């Protein structure tokens, strides 16, 4: 056999070996990809929930690295520490028909870890849209519709946050007991410019009136002091004369 024939055989054997190894390499690459894609991290302060085919799987996972079947299983991080949801640009109409806007309402809340699975199974991972964002809009509008602009803007504004905490927590206790409403902060509503100017004028007049009243009190006190001093001096002169 000539050297040329030997080179052809060697090349042929190399090709055969390559063809045999290629499927193994493909299997190895696919397996590595599946294992790598299946690894994921649950952040600190969260628990993991899992879905397969759109259905919520039983149980949750703690913070750290975990593995799942990729492509057919998905996961979400669900926060279980204190968080603040900001509900913005809330329009509402008062009982007198005046349209006003609350620029921001901050709701400090927490989802208890033991109730994560039940809450997600009932309301999915966007549970806060139902019980915080939409609920704040509803309760603000209920409050406005039952009160005048004077009540909403001044008289009852300082109690609005407490009203909202009670309203949200009562409904959560009934329908989503895992949600804890800790506190609510409400910004002063925006009212029509002409009405705002009138309120500013009223505040200025009230301030001036209080200043005038305080000045009158000071003047009256000074007058009483001078009168008492005069009485004392007169009594002292009378005692000296006697």
């Amino acid at each position: 056999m000539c050297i040329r024939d030997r080179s052809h055989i060697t090349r042929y054997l190399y090709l055969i070996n390559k063809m045999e190894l290629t499927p193994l390499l493909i299997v190895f690459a696919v397996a590595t990809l599946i294992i790598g894609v299946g690894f994921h991290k649950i952040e600190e302060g969260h628990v993991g929930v899992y879905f397969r085919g759109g259905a919520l799987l039983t149980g949750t996972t703690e913070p750290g690295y975990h593995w799942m079947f990729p492509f057919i299983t998905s996961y979400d991080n669900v926060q279980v520490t204190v968080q603040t949801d900001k509900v913005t640009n809330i329009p509402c109409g008062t009982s007198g028909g005046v349209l006003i806007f609350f620029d921001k309402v901050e709701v400090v809340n927490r989802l208890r870890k033991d109730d994560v699975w039940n809450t997600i199974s009932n309301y999915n991972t966007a549970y806060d849209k139902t019980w915080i964002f939409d609920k704040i809009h509803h309760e603000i509008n209920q409050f406005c519709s039952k009160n005048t602009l004077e009540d909403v803007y001044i008289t009852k504004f300082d109690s609005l946050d407490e009203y909202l905490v009670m309203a949200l927590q009562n409904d959560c206790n009934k329908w989503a007991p895992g949600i804890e409403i800790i506190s609510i902060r409400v910004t002063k509503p925006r009212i029509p410019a002409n009405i705002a100017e009138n309120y500013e004028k009223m505040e200025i007049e009230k301030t001036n009136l209080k200043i005038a009243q305080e000045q009158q009190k000071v003047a009256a006190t000074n007058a009483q002091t001078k009168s008492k001093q005069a009485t004392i001096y007169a009594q002292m002169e009378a005692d000296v004369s006697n």
Side-chain angles (χ1 to χ4, degrees):
M1 183 179 291
C2 68
I3 297 175
R4 188 173 182 180
D5 291 335
R6 290 179 180 177
S7 65
H8 281 302
I9 292 172
T10 304
R11 182 180 178 85
Y12 179 72
L13 292 173
Y14 171 77
L15 291 173
I16 291 175
N17 290 333
K18 187 175 181 181
M19 291 175 65
E20 290 177 349
L21 288 174
T22 299
L24 294 177
L25 289 173
I26 293 174
V27 171
F28 178 77
V30 171
T32 302
L33 177 64
I34 291 175
I35 293 173
V37 173
F39 275 108
H40 59 283
K41 184 174 71 171
I42 302 301
E43 301 291 343
E44 188 64 42
H46 297 68
V47 297
V49 294
Y50 299 83
F51 300 86
R52 185 173 299 158
L56 178 66
L57 300 181
T58 304
T60 61
T61 56
E62 295 292 325
Y65 286 100
H66 302 275
W67 189 86
M68 65 181 183
F69 286 103
F71 310 118
I72 61 172
T73 305
S74 61
Y75 77 100
D76 267 314
N77 275 283
V78 179
Q79 187 171 347
V80 291
T81 53
V82 174
Q83 60 182 322
T84 300
D85 289 321
K86 298 178 181 179
V87 190
T88 59
N89 196 30
I90 307 168
C92 70
T94 66
S95 61
V98 179
L99 181 63
I100 63 177
F101 292 85
F102 286 84
D103 289 327
K104 183 171 63 176
V105 176
E106 295 181 335
V107 183
V108 182
N109 64 94
R110 175 174 55 196
L111 178 60
R112 286 189 287 268
K113 183 187 293 186
D114 294 340
D115 295 305
V116 167
W117 193 89
N118 286 331
T119 302
I120 301 304
S121 66
N122 288 324
Y123 307 107
N124 68 54
T125 53
Y127 67 89
D128 52 354
K129 181 181 185 304
T130 300
W131 294 111
I132 294 179
F133 289 89
D134 292 348
K135 187 65 176 172
I136 283 291
H137 275 267
H138 173 73
E139 291 299 336
I140 286 285
N141 276 274
Q142 287 287 99
F143 180 81
C144 289
S145 65
K146 295 177 182 178
N147 291 282
T148 64
L149 177 61
E150 177 80 12
D151 291 333
V152 175
Y153 192 65
I154 297 177
T155 310
K156 297 182 180 180
F157 177 76
D158 60 347
S159 63
L160 178 56
D161 52 353
E162 296 176 3
Y163 165 82
L164 291 174
V165 169
M166 291 182 60
L168 267 66
Q169 190 64 72
N170 287 340
D171 278 355
C172 286
N173 289 343
K174 184 176 181 181
W175 301 106
I179 304 173
E180 180 183 1
I181 307 299
I182 299 172
S183 65
I184 293 179
R185 297 184 292 268
V186 185
T187 60
K188 200 78 169 177
R190 280 187 291 117
I191 63 177
N194 59 330
I195 299 177
E197 290 177 2
N198 291 336
Y199 274 117
E200 289 176 1
K201 291 178 182 178
M202 289 173 57
E203 288 299 318
I204 292 173
E205 291 176 358
K206 288 180 181 178
T207 301
N208 291 336
L209 179 60
K210 287 182 179 180
I211 292 173
Q213 289 174 343
E214 289 300 321
Q215 289 175 342
Q216 289 177 356
K217 289 180 181 179
V218 171
T221 301
N222 290 337
Q224 290 177 357
T225 301
K226 290 179 180 180
S227 176
K228 289 180 180 179
Q229 289 176 343
T231 302
I232 293 171
Y233 290 149
Q235 184 64 43
M236 291 174 60
E237 289 178 357
D239 292 342
V240 171
S241 300
N242 293 332

